[in-house]
């Protein structure tokens, strides 16, 4: 979220001041009919309410406010009421107990101009749930995860072979992780490598990295826009004037996304016309439903567009970030890295790579990954939800249409739940710890890495598998140090501005091969 008051105010100009006064009067009217018996919250300003309180790291700002006003707090974003919850009990109430009511979405410029028929942005309709089921069935069931093991193994092994591992070259780690994750997802979604040159004999590795990078630039732009807090979503006149140029940026983005999807649909239609037998992918499943006149849902190319982007964005962005954080934590703490590597050497040995079947036997690795899911929770504020009808929450009256922000990041770092929460300590998930049975799949509200309930992540099982196998293989295959003799503890662990928890500076490292294969 990048909405700082100083970003908006200079854009007003003189005419804007008059408009603001008129608006202020209108909004004062609105505020005078402010609902009663709301949860506590700070005093807001006219027109913008509390928007000025959100800076570069909004999850941190909300955490500080919650420390003063409690785990159920109300704020005003423009004229829209927002409910901020930051305790496991309040999260459970929103996501589970009253989950059917709190499952709609706010209307945003992004939802309106970019994704009209997908899983993440529409309200919780039968059509949306149908699409979510398709995504889950195609990518994240136990069966699909088993069937796709060879895809992961091939893509991992391809990248591991080409990563510089001479003990002196500085390796931009994320660039390589991106190639692995993007091609794994692309093969699962579209049954083909994203990168046309990947894996080909004599392929130009630079071209391959660049090809995937170009695609990632587009994915990152989509993600940045989806998490951007547009003043127009809260203050109608801003939407009309588009003072930050956000809506025209979205229209431009839409065109670039359409080019990508239209090519995919054309390729699929040609393949279907050719009469050859081929393995069906997610796009074919949707094309089948589009052609089926008896289908319950009126599936169109817009749905293909939505689902393919949901899968690429949801499937790659957070997975890449989590792996980068996991490697960073291990590099920063060599003793911890040795523990992970010793376990890998004992369970797997040094003459083969890790396989899916090894993961259940790698207890320390699992605890380490869980600790990354906690301390480096990538979506510290879950995607905003809206309640369909007015309701009661812990004795407060919550009007219909309230925006609800579940602060999963605050909960995951709450000192009343977690001992020394800012310390990276996998042992908190091992035998003898009170958190030994805490899982991330959405049943434990103190650890909501993937959300929970109706709007929870449909790719959880696939994500967990990918993060374990990729992180394990990278740590098993190489010894890792920092460039220029930088001491491990000096690795910069700060996170980038915005609503996503991501490294501010990409991880660079020196790799040395450690296996005999
Ligand atoms: C480490 C990797 C991942 C993390 C940490 C993650 C986390 C999340 C979170 C926190 C949400 C929002 C939940 C909420 O607001 O209640 C979400 C939603 C979503 N995720 Fe993931 N995710 C990951 C991987 C994936 C994968 C692999 C896919 C698909 C291939 C995926 C697809 C989606 C979709 C489509 C939604 C929207 C769900 C809805 O609105 O109903 N994610 N994810």
């Amino acid at each position: 979220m990048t909405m700082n008051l100083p970003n908006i105010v200079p854009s007003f100009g003189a005419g804007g001041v008059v408009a603001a006064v008129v608006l202020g009067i209108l909004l004062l009217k609105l505020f005078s009919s402010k609902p009663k018996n709301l949860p506590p919250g700070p005093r807001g300003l006219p027109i913008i309410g509390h928007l000025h309180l959100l800076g570069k790291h909004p999850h941190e700002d909300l955490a500080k406010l919650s420390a003063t006003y409690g785990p159920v707090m109300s704020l005003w974003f423009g004229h829209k009421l927002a409910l901020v919850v930051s305790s496991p009990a309040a999260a459970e109430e929103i996501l589970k107990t009253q989950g059917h009511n709190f499952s709609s979405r706010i209307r945003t410029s992004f939802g309106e101009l970019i994704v009209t028929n997908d899983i993440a942005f529409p309200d919780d309709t039968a059509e949306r749930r149908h699409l979510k089921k398709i995504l889950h069935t195609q990518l994240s069931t136990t069966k699909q995860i088993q069937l796709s093991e060879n895809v992961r193994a091939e893509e991992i092994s391809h990248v591991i072979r080409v990563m510089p591992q001479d003990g002196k070259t500085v390796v931009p780690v994320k660039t390589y992780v991106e190639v692995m994750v993007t091609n794994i997802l692309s093969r699962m979604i579209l049954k083909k490598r994203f990168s046309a040159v990947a894996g080909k004999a004599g392929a130009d590795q630079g071209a391959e990295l660049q090809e995937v990078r170009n695609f990632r630039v587009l994915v990152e732009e989509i993600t940045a826009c989806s998490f951007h807090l547009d003043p127009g979503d809260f203050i109608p006149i801003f939407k009309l004037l588009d003072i930050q140029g956000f809506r025209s940026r979205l229209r431009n983005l839409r065109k670039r996304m359409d080019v990508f999807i239209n090519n995919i649909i054309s390729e699929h239609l040609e393949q279907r016309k050719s009469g050859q037998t081929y393995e069906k992918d997610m796009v074919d499943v949707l094309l089948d439903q589009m052609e089926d006149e008896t289908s319950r849902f009126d599936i169109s190319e817009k749905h293909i567009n939505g689902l393919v982007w949901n899968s690429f964005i949801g499937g790659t962005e957070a997975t890449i970030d989590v792996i980068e954080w996991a490697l960073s934590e291990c590099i920063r703490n060599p003793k911890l890295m040795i523990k992970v590597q010793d376990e890998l050497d004992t369970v797997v040995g040094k003459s083969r790579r890790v396989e899916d079947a090894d993961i259940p036997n790698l207890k320390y690795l699992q605890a380490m990954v869980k600790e990354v899911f906690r301390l480096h929770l990538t979506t510290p504020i879950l995607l905003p939800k809206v309640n369909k009808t007015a309701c009661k929450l812990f004795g407060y009256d919550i009007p219909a249409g309230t925006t609800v922000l579940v602060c999963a990041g605050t909960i995951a770092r709450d000192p009343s739940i977690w001992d020394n929460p800012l310390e990276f300590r996998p042992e908190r998930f091992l035998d003898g710890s009170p958190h030994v049975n805490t899982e991330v799949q959405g049943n434990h509200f103190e650890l909501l890495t993937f959300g929970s309930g109706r709007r929870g992540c449909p790719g959880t099982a696939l994500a967990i598998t990918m993060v374990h196998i990729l992180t394990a293989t990278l740590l098993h295959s190489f010894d890792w140090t920092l460039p220029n003799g930088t001491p491990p503890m000096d690795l910069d662990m700060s996170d980038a501005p915005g609503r996503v928890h991501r490294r501010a500076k990409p991880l660079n490292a020196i790799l040395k091969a450690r296996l005999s294969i």
Side-chain angles (χ1 to χ4, degrees):
M1 215 183 292
T2 51
M3 167 98 164
N4 296 317
L5 184 60
N7 291 344
I8 311 168
V9 174
S11 329
F12 266 128
V17 173
V18 179
V21 172
V22 176
L23 255 175
I25 295 166
L26 290 174
L27 287 167
L28 270 179
K29 271 190 153 184
L30 264 173
F31 276 98
S32 60
S33 59
K34 219 170 163 181
K36 304 271 179 300
N37 192 29
L38 292 176
R43 277 182 83 86
L45 296 177
I47 304 177
I48 60 169
H50 299 101
L51 280 171
H52 63 297
L53 298 179
L54 302 181
K56 287 189 172 159
H57 293 99
H59 50 283
E60 289 175 11
D61 302 322
L62 292 181
K64 280 182 204 142
L65 289 169
S66 299
T68 307
Y69 296 96
V72 181
M73 168 175 75
S74 49
L75 295 179
W76 289 90
F77 296 158
H79 70 282
K80 292 201 175 163
L81 175 64
L83 183 72
V84 180
V85 307
S86 49
S87 74
E92 182 166 2
E93 195 68 23
I94 299 291
L95 303 174
K96 187 177 167 189
T97 317
Q98 301 195 44
H100 62 286
N101 191 21
F102 285 98
S103 57
S104 296
R105 290 282 191 226
I106 44 171
R107 307 264 167 273
T108 61
S109 294
F110 186 84
E112 178 195 329
L113 297 174
I114 295 284
V115 277
T116 43
N117 300 73
D118 83 323
I119 298 171
F121 289 90
D123 286 343
D124 190 26
T125 59
E127 179 185 281
R128 186 199 82 87
R129 287 195 294 277
H130 175 67
L131 292 178
K132 192 165 178 172
K133 197 167 164 203
I134 294 179
L135 184 148
H136 182 252
T137 314
Q138 291 292 310
L139 303 179
S140 199
T141 54
T142 310
K143 184 177 158 206
Q144 285 300 345
I145 289 172
Q146 279 166 0
L147 286 174
S148 56
E149 178 171 5
N150 69 321
V151 169
R152 287 187 293 281
E154 282 171 22
E155 294 305 326
I156 291 171
S157 138
H158 163 65
V159 174
I160 293 276
R161 271 189 282 120
V162 301
M163 285 177 93
Q165 43 203 279
D166 53 10
K168 40 183 201 269
T169 307
V170 178
V171 180
V173 179
K174 185 170 177 175
T175 310
Y176 289 91
V177 175
E178 280 177 349
V179 176
M180 284 187 203
V181 175
T182 307
N183 276 327
I184 290 173
L185 255 297
S186 180
R187 287 181 64 182
M188 291 187 74
I189 302 164
L190 306 171
K191 297 280 180 283
K192 67 171 204 175
R193 269 198 178 86
F194 175 77
S195 170
V197 294
K200 286 191 183 154
D204 172 356
Q205 299 312 331
E208 176 183 358
L209 294 182
Q210 194 51 50
E211 199 179 339
V212 174
R213 185 87 282 275
N214 292 344
F215 179 65
R216 304 265 7 125
V217 168
L218 179 57
V219 172
E220 282 161 14
E221 167 78 348
I222 302 168
T223 312
C225 288
S226 74
F227 280 99
H228 177 78
L229 184 61
D230 178 27
D233 291 338
F234 303 102
I235 305 171
I237 188 88
F238 281 32
K239 183 170 175 174
L240 206 71
L241 300 175
D242 193 19
I243 52 173
Q244 289 189 331
F246 184 58
R247 288 175 69 85
S248 53
R249 180 177 163 199
L250 289 180
R251 286 194 192 93
N252 188 291
L253 181 61
R254 173 85 251 178
K255 284 188 198 143
R256 289 159 66 202
M257 291 166 74
D258 284 348
V259 170
F260 178 77
I261 293 294
N262 291 343
N263 284 340
I264 287 173
I265 295 179
S266 306
E267 276 173 28
H268 278 75
L269 289 174
E270 258 172 45
Q271 191 174 36
R272 289 159 80 89
K273 259 196 255 155
S274 74
Q276 292 162 358
T277 47
Y278 59 92
E279 206 184 337
K280 287 194 171 179
D281 59 27
M282 190 196 278
V283 175
D284 287 302
V285 170
L286 288 162
L287 285 171
D288 285 350
Q289 295 193 8
M290 209 165 117
E291 288 160 10
D292 178 2
E293 285 170 7
T294 63
S295 171
R296 197 178 142 211
F297 301 98
D298 192 11
I299 299 295
S300 69
E301 291 186 3
K302 282 185 178 171
H303 297 91
I304 301 181
N305 205 324
L307 211 57
V308 170
W309 281 115
N310 278 163
S311 311
F312 267 118
I313 297 164
T316 57
E317 286 283 273
T319 310
I320 294 166
D321 288 338
V322 169
I323 294 169
E324 204 187 17
W325 281 121
L327 296 171
S328 305
E329 287 292 357
C330 290
I331 294 174
R332 194 161 167 266
N333 184 345
K335 280 191 190 150
L336 191 148
M337 172 141 48
I338 289 169
K339 271 193 192 172
V340 177
Q341 288 176 330
D342 281 352
E343 183 183 60
L344 283 159
D345 293 347
T346 309
V347 173
V348 182
K350 287 181 107 170
S351 55
R352 68 169 177 91
R353 292 210 200 285
V354 193
E355 293 165 9
D356 283 5
D358 295 315
I359 304 296
N361 302 322
L362 295 163
K363 299 290 179 209
Y364 194 79
L365 173 90
Q366 288 182 52
M368 189 274 284
V369 168
K370 218 182 266 182
E371 181 67 338
V372 179
F373 282 146
R374 181 193 70 82
L375 190 61
H376 299 295
L377 199 141
T378 52
T379 317
I381 306 170
L382 297 184
L383 304 184
K385 293 158 185 74
V386 169
N387 54 331
K388 291 186 269 270
T389 57
C391 61
K392 284 264 182 202
L393 189 84
F394 297 118
Y396 300 114
D397 291 323
I398 312 298
T402 301
T403 300
V404 184
L405 305 178
V406 176
C407 295
T410 310
I411 300 173
R413 293 176 175 211
D414 182 340
S416 71
I417 304 171
W418 308 95
D419 208 18
N420 294 323
L422 300 184
E423 221 176 82
F424 187 83
R425 202 153 50 82
E427 286 72 14
R428 68 174 89 243
F429 293 109
L430 290 176
D431 282 348
S433 150
H435 297 291
V436 61
N437 294 320
T438 307
E439 294 294 345
V440 289
Q441 280 88 343
N443 300 317
H444 296 111
F445 292 84
E446 66 273 34
L447 194 51
L448 289 166
T449 313
F450 295 92
S452 176
R454 289 175 174 238
R455 304 304 304 220
C457 177
T460 304
L462 173 63
I464 292 175
T465 306
M466 285 200 291
V467 170
H468 277 93
I469 197 77
L470 266 74
T471 309
T473 310
L474 286 163
L475 291 171
H476 189 216
S477 303
F478 306 116
D479 279 321
W480 300 71
T481 48
L482 293 174
N484 310 318
T486 309
M489 274 311 282
D490 288 357
L491 176 61
D492 185 347
M493 297 291 275
S494 47
D495 63 342
R499 266 165 63 190
V500 176
H501 175 66
R502 167 172 298 155
R503 282 186 60 81
K505 291 186 188 147
L507 175 68
N508 288 324
I510 309 271
L511 278 55
K512 202 153 181 254
R514 62 185 298 280
L515 298 184
S516 55
I517 44 173

